[in-house]
Amino acid sequence: MSSLSIEIHETAFVTSTFRSLNETLSRDVYAELWSNSRTDVLVKKYLNQVCVEEVSAHCLRNRFFLEEIERLKPDVVINFGCGFSMYPFLLDENIINIEIDKEEVINYKKSRIGEFIKAGKLPERTIHFVGVDFSEDYVEKLLKTIKSIKKDKTSFVLIEGVLFFLSRKDTEKLFDFFSETQEKGDYIGSASFQKGLKKSEGFKKLLNFCNKEMVKTEASDWQTIEDDFYRESKNYDLVNHQDYFSLSKKYNNEVKLEENLILNENFYILKKIV
């Protein structure tokens, strides 16, 4: 393995760098705060070896969810697997933010955010940082924590850049958990890949990169999710579905590569109906 081998949580730094490379498209003017020389090296290698359009793809993902949250105006945003995303500082200051991730990610993010605010690089926001040990049975404790913060307020649960790494069993458990935290009329924003992606040249390049820079892996190790998972939910209606190509049209992003070379991610907005 490379001396620069990537830990899974380090993808959070990579994603932030992607968003910072086109602030006009992502609308994320704070992503650059996470920039560092190690990540810059990884990003350059990734773009060269996998797909140069990943910058636009991550910027469009951020833009889409940011503007959906702005449009829907929830009282609380619950970002599950938040990484180093900066939605709290891009959204209305009155929104309550619950940031959830692995304990080491949350501890680092909370510390750095505090430093950035103290230095005047970020505005004050209401943020509850929640570290979770996902190797343990986290549901009851996390549910209690979220409900104590959310109470009867409206909410938007965001899960992006996470489902690819989970099993279907864990994903179903997670969406049942989301339903327990939410009331009728609340929303989920989710990002995932579809099965057809695994046949693409872009995915083959991703797999090769992961095997060299991350961990030894096979296509079967990564989860894909078809539309029916969202469409057939007993608790939610699918109210919006976009992908890289539809968002590129919406936000005037020029698609430069053939479709077979692009890691086309799908984006879903679900509304709770029960």
Side-chain angles (χ1 to χ4, degrees), residues 71-260:
R71 181 178 68 84
L72 296 170
K73 297 180 172 60
D75 299 319
V76 182
V77 173
I78 307 167
N79 193 343
F80 201 97
C82 62
F84 302 133
S85 61
M86 300 297 273
Y87 293 105
F89 307 98
L90 303 171
L91 292 165
D92 188 281
E93 63 182 350
N94 294 313
I95 288 178
I96 297 168
N97 299 275
I98 304 176
E99 300 267 280
I100 302 169
D101 213 312
K102 294 180 179 180
E103 291 177 343
E104 64 268 26
V105 175
I106 286 296
N107 290 339
Y108 181 78
K109 185 174 188 178
K110 182 178 181 180
S111 174
R112 295 292 287 150
I113 290 294
E115 292 171 6
F116 294 145
I117 291 174
K118 188 175 181 180
K121 295 179 180 180
L122 287 175
E124 293 278 356
R125 286 294 186 269
T126 302
I127 306 175
H128 299 267
F129 293 98
V130 183
V132 178
D133 184 347
F134 294 106
S135 66
E136 298 179 353
D137 188 3
Y138 63 87
V139 171
E140 186 176 341
K141 182 179 178 182
L142 183 57
L143 185 62
K144 184 178 180 181
T145 299
I146 291 174
K147 285 189 171 183
S148 70
I149 299 168
K150 179 183 177 293
K151 297 176 182 174
D152 60 350
K153 298 179 177 67
T154 61
S155 70
F156 186 105
V157 169
L158 178 61
I159 181 163
E160 54 174 343
V162 174
L163 300 182
F164 196 46
F165 302 106
L166 301 184
S167 67
R168 180 52 58 91
K169 182 180 179 181
D170 286 340
T171 299
E172 291 172 351
K173 177 182 176 182
L174 202 51
F175 275 76
D176 286 342
F177 173 78
F178 293 157
S179 183
E180 287 193 65
T181 70
Q182 294 192 297
E183 305 298 329
K184 184 177 179 179
D186 286 350
Y187 292 89
I188 293 175
S190 180
S192 55
F193 293 108
Q194 296 187 347
K195 187 176 180 180
L197 181 76
K198 292 189 176 182
K199 298 177 181 177
S200 71
E201 189 63 30
F203 184 80
K204 292 175 185 176
K205 290 183 176 183
L206 174 63
L207 209 59
N208 289 335
F209 182 83
C210 289
N211 281 325
K212 286 191 298 182
E213 305 292 342
M214 208 163 155
V215 291
K216 291 296 180 183
T217 185
E218 298 179 2
S220 59
D221 295 332
W222 307 101
Q223 179 181 208
T224 56
I225 300 176
E226 299 305 295
D227 296 343
D228 285 350
F229 175 82
Y230 300 101
R231 193 180 291 124
E232 296 174 1
S233 169
K234 65 181 182 294
N235 298 318
Y236 293 86
D237 269 347
L238 175 60
V239 295
N240 195 351
H241 175 204
Q242 305 292 330
D243 68 0
Y244 176 67
F245 299 101
S246 65
L247 291 183
S248 289
K249 289 180 181 178
K250 180 177 181 178
Y251 295 112
N252 298 313
N253 172 61
E254 181 184 356
V255 178
K256 299 175 183 177
L257 298 178
E258 296 177 13
E259 184 173 350
N260 188 49

Side-chain angles (χ1 to χ4, degrees), residues 12-36 39-40 43 47 54-60 62-63 84-86 90:
F13 283 107
V14 173
T15 299
S16 293
T17 300
F18 286 155
R19 291 195 295 262
S20 73
L21 293 176
N22 190 340
E23 290 182 359
T24 300
L25 191 60
S26 70
R27 281 188 55 201
D28 191 342
V29 296
Y30 299 117
E32 64 177 1
L33 291 173
W34 302 103
S35 178
N36 61 81
T39 302
D40 290 343
V43 165
L47 295 177
E54 282 288 85
V55 170
S56 297
H58 282 79
C59 288
L60 286 170
N62 194 86
R63 177 78 168 271
F84 302 133
S85 61
M86 300 297 273
L90 303 171

